[in-house]
Amino acid sequence: MEQIAYALRSSERLQSPVLKPVYARPCDGEIPIAEFGPILIASPHPDDETLGCGGLIIRCAELGCSVTILAMTKGEASHPGDRHWQTRLAQIRGAEQRRALNVMGFSDPDIIGLGLPDGGLESLSTETLQRACVKIREIIHSRRIKTLFVPAVDDCHADHQITAKLLADVARDYPFRYFFSYQIWPPTSRRLSVTTNEREYGHDISSLIALKRSAIFQHQSQLNVVDPNHTEGFRMPPTLLDAKLGNTESFALVSDPAAWSS
């Protein structure tokens, strides 16, 4: 009820939010966000969903549209340390992810964690990957997911690539309405099998930038030192922040997930 009331308060400003094709006439192929149905966003690490899809998540909260976050890993490898520290870091990053989703409008976010090893998805056994696919299928069926947002299959991070391939494999036998990808770490060049199966879309988030920024800044472990004994590790580069806080959020509509991920 809280989300519905929020949607009603926001409806005048929202009008009909859409994803617009980047290389087409202004009204050619627009997709109203309300058409997506229940959405699943596959997030390799806590913060990927906020960086890549933060504006979209805010829109969905305003519209009362269901969003499930598939957390592939706990993000425990962003800073080096012993097992105790890794466990603590995983807890910190999970709490940051939840707070970011709160900021974006979901008071009780639907986050499903697979608990796969951060930085180790490409080393998983075939059996483990198959079990992950079974679990993902169960989540998708139980929530009646109609639209998927997954990392780009050629993103410059192995965990992102494996996540994309797993979700594309699941998409082979599930009647999705839309299959989108989002890019975090762009490659220097792109394969023809990828680009020929993509249509670029943009989402105007100019009115949502302040809120998306606030959500990103909930991920303090990726921006600042959170423990004086663990000062080494990943820091979100300013160039990434600049790219993800522009007026447009970029996606690609994938026409053939199997060919795209091959």
Side-chain angles (χ1 to χ4, degrees):
M1 290 300 294
E2 180 181 339
Q3 287 183 14
I4 293 173
Y6 185 30
L8 291 173
R9 291 195 302 270
S10 306
S11 60
E12 183 176 349
R13 177 170 64 84
L14 280 174
Q15 298 299 319
S16 298
V18 295
L19 298 192
K20 293 184 178 182
V22 174
Y23 302 114
R25 295 188 305 275
C27 294
D28 181 19
E30 291 183 354
I31 304 176
I33 291 173
E35 283 189 7
F36 288 167
I39 294 171
L40 183 140
I41 300 174
S43 180
H45 313 98
D47 76 2
D48 285 325
E49 76 292 326
T50 307
L51 290 165
C53 306
L56 174 74
I57 294 171
I58 295 167
R59 293 288 194 204
C60 288
E62 292 177 328
L63 291 166
C65 186
S66 170
V67 175
T68 295
I69 304 299
L70 180 66
M72 302 296 290
T73 78
K74 298 179 180 180
E76 72 278 6
S78 67
H79 295 64
D82 59 22
R83 184 173 297 179
H84 175 73
W85 165 244
Q86 298 291 300
T87 300
R88 183 179 164 217
L89 181 57
Q91 293 170 345
I92 290 171
R93 297 204 65 188
E96 290 173 342
Q97 184 178 50
R98 186 167 293 275
R99 287 197 299 271
L101 288 161
N102 292 160
V103 168
M104 289 185 283
F106 286 94
S107 58
D108 185 21
D110 184 26
I111 305 171
I112 305 297
L114 296 187
L116 298 173
D118 182 11
L121 297 193
E122 65 179 340
S123 301
L124 294 177
S125 67
T126 300
E127 182 181 357
T128 300
L129 291 172
Q130 288 174 342
R131 285 200 301 268
C133 280
V134 169
K135 179 64 175 176
I136 294 168
R137 287 188 178 95
E138 290 174 353
I139 293 166
I140 287 172
H141 279 280
S142 66
R143 284 158 175 76
R144 299 179 180 178
I145 300 298
K146 295 300 181 186
T147 299
L148 273 176
F149 284 81
V150 312
V153 74
D154 55 0
D155 194 288
C156 286
H157 194 305
D159 285 353
H160 294 210
Q161 296 170 16
I162 299 302
T163 296
K165 290 180 179 182
L166 281 177
L167 272 295
D169 185 58
V170 170
R172 291 172 186 265
D173 55 5
Y174 189 85
F176 289 109
R177 188 172 294 165
Y178 301 109
F179 188 107
F180 284 96
S181 74
Y182 64 91
Q183 191 98 56
I184 301 295
W185 304 107
T188 55
S189 61
R190 311 197 72 207
R191 300 191 307 274
L192 187 62
S193 61
V194 174
T195 58
T196 55
N197 283 289
E198 290 184 343
R199 187 179 185 194
E200 299 299 321
Y201 272 77
H203 175 211
D204 181 2
I205 63 167
S206 55
S207 64
L208 308 176
I209 292 174
L211 194 53
K212 181 175 179 178
R213 179 188 296 274
S214 179
I216 290 174
F217 274 75
Q218 301 306 307
H219 296 278
Q220 282 297 303
S221 67
Q222 307 304 291
L223 294 161
N224 298 296
V225 174
V226 294
D227 186 299
N229 296 315
H230 298 89
T231 58
E232 295 182 0
F234 176 78
R235 292 289 180 277
M236 203 178 289
T239 51
L240 177 61
L241 285 173
D242 290 344
K244 297 307 177 185
L245 288 170
N247 288 331
T248 302
E249 224 165 41
S250 298
F251 304 102
L253 179 61
V254 179
S255 57
D256 184 346
W260 174 78
S261 64
S262 63

